[in-house]
Amino acid sequence: REMQLLQALIGLDPLGAEPLLLEALEMGLSAPSALLADVLFGAQRREYEDSGALVCMSEAPINREPWFTYQGLNVASSEQRWVVNATSSDPRFATPDFRREIRLVNTKAAYLWAATRPCAYSTLLTRHVRDRARLDGMGFSPGVFVATGQGMPGYSDVNTNGIVLEAIAFALRGRVQRA
């Protein structure tokens, strides 16, 4: 069953933290979502242990065209493990350079992992985005660009900040779904 579930992901957008971890906060994880969350979190943490690179991926708005991306784990390939897909078919957004430039340590995913998987790695992720993606008077930007280590300047969105607050509320409730 688990292998069939993973095989079903082949050809779809990359596996990111959403909606898996929102399900965890709002309803508790179903068995399929729990497996996928384990696979994604384990792969991200192993990447850090092996290379020192922080990996924390999910869908994300970006501060330039094409304005939105799907970022996550490609379960079908060990060579091209971390994928960034744009929401546009324009070939400008399908180049390795573009994908490298917009790959993020995702703010909302970092807080979702910290809420659902409290450990040293998720703490490291939240510290990283808190130190680099916080915007005075605006909350948080969607993430920290991996290529530069800098937060997305002057760009904030309600979805990122709403999910950060939801993750914090979940942790403060003792990691229990709202009744």
Side-chain angles (χ1 to χ4, degrees):
R1 263 192 168 154
E2 292 177 352
M3 290 307 294
Q4 288 175 333
L5 177 60
L6 293 172
Q7 286 178 329
L9 295 177
I10 296 171
L12 299 177
D13 275 321
L15 177 61
E18 293 174 81
L20 301 171
L21 300 184
L22 287 174
E23 179 183 324
L25 269 57
E26 295 169 2
M27 300 175 287
L29 284 171
S30 63
S33 293
L35 170 67
L36 297 177
D38 287 346
V39 167
L40 178 58
F41 191 70
Q44 291 178 150
R45 190 163 55 187
R46 276 190 306 283
E47 181 73 30
Y48 176 72
E49 290 166 356
D50 293 346
S51 70
L54 288 176
V55 179
C56 183
M57 300 179 90
S58 193
E59 62 187 47
I62 55 174
N63 60 346
R64 61 182 175 152
E65 281 190 278
W67 310 112
F68 199 84
T69 62
Y70 292 95
Q71 303 188 18
L73 175 65
N74 177 0
V75 299
S77 173
S78 58
E79 287 84 41
Q80 189 180 0
R81 180 166 220 150
W82 306 109
V83 177
V84 175
N85 288 343
T87 55
S88 169
S89 59
D90 188 319
R92 294 177 297 155
F93 309 125
T95 67
D97 285 343
F98 176 79
R99 290 176 171 151
R100 188 174 33 261
E101 288 172 14
I102 62 164
R103 188 168 147 198
L104 296 172
V105 173
N106 187 288
T107 299
K108 58 189 170 177
Y111 276 87
L112 286 167
W113 287 121
T116 60
R117 301 278 165 82
C119 65
Y121 185 65
S122 60
T123 298
L124 181 63
L125 292 171
T126 55
R127 284 185 182 148
H128 183 76
V129 298
R130 191 172 48 238
D131 291 345
R132 293 168 178 81
R134 188 172 42 205
L135 300 169
D136 288 340
M138 295 177 69
F140 287 95
S141 76
V144 177
F145 291 108
V146 172
T148 65
Q150 301 296 309
M152 203 176 291
Y155 188 83
S156 183
D157 68 295
V158 95
N159 183 260
T160 294
N161 287 284
I163 289 174
V164 166
L165 291 173
E166 185 176 4
I168 292 168
F170 178 79
L172 290 174
R173 280 195 311 273
R175 295 180 167 77
V176 175
Q177 290 78 29
R178 202 174 308 159

